Amino acid sequence: MNRTIYVGLGVLAAIVVAAFVFTQTMSKSPESDVIRQTQATPTSTQSALVMTEEIVIAGDEYSFSPANVTLKKGTTYRLTFKNTGNAPHNYVSDELGVSTATIKGGEAVTAEVTPQKTGTFEVYCSVGNHEDLGMVGKI
């Protein structure tokens, strides 16, 4: 009798654990190419909070994902560039004054930008001939 109770409790515990793991796995959404987060960060000269939107760009041999990013004039963005390739890469837009450090595969770097003009601006990897090989995009 006691053995049957212990076996029953063990089976019940296994079902509860399996249900918990299943619901946790199902509630997570898959990552997209662009991750946008809005967070409030205090500025050093103001007591008000400034909204910063984060955009993640992946770069590999020899492309950016997403290749095209839309930003709004006057909005502050934190661009996180992740090198998902093997060669060193960076993320540069001369017209917007964005230039990340050149990083190795598996690394990430951030740059902040607040566009002050409208238009379409080229971004590229300035390492070697990566731009010529198609590592370009648009903001």
Side-chain angles (χ1 to χ4, degrees):
M1 176 80 170
N2 284 341
R3 184 171 185 223
T4 305
I5 291 173
Y6 289 127
V7 170
L9 288 174
V11 170
L12 181 62
I15 291 170
V16 168
V17 169
F20 176 78
V21 170
F22 178 76
T23 58
Q24 292 299 312
T25 304
M26 295 305 291
S27 67
K28 293 181 182 178
S29 62
E31 287 186 21
S32 62
D33 286 339
V34 178
I35 300 170
R36 294 184 182 264
Q37 273 181 324
T38 303
Q39 55 184 190
T41 54
T43 63
S44 59
T45 58
Q46 301 172 339
S47 60
L49 295 177
V50 175
M51 298 305 286
T52 302
E53 192 169 325
E54 181 174 22
I55 299 175
V56 178
I57 299 111
D60 63 11
E61 288 78 40
Y62 292 95
S63 64
F64 294 119
S65 179
N68 301 319
V69 176
T70 301
L71 306 179
K72 293 179 185 173
K73 178 181 173 183
T75 300
T76 301
Y77 296 89
R78 179 176 295 119
L79 302 177
T80 299
F81 174 63
K82 292 183 176 183
N83 184 346
T84 57
N86 296 313
H89 297 296
N90 60 24
Y91 191 77
V92 177
S93 173
D94 297 326
E95 298 160 304
L96 289 178
V98 174
S99 181
T100 69
T102 300
I103 56 174
K104 298 184 291 185
E107 294 182 339
V109 64
T110 61
E112 285 202 3
V113 62
T114 306
Q116 298 302 317
K117 53 188 172 181
T118 59
T120 301
F121 310 103
E122 184 174 319
V123 292
Y124 61 95
C125 177
S126 69
V127 175
N129 65 343
H130 294 190
E131 179 180 12
D132 295 334
L133 292 171
M135 198 162 184
V136 296
K138 302 279 185 208
I139 294 181

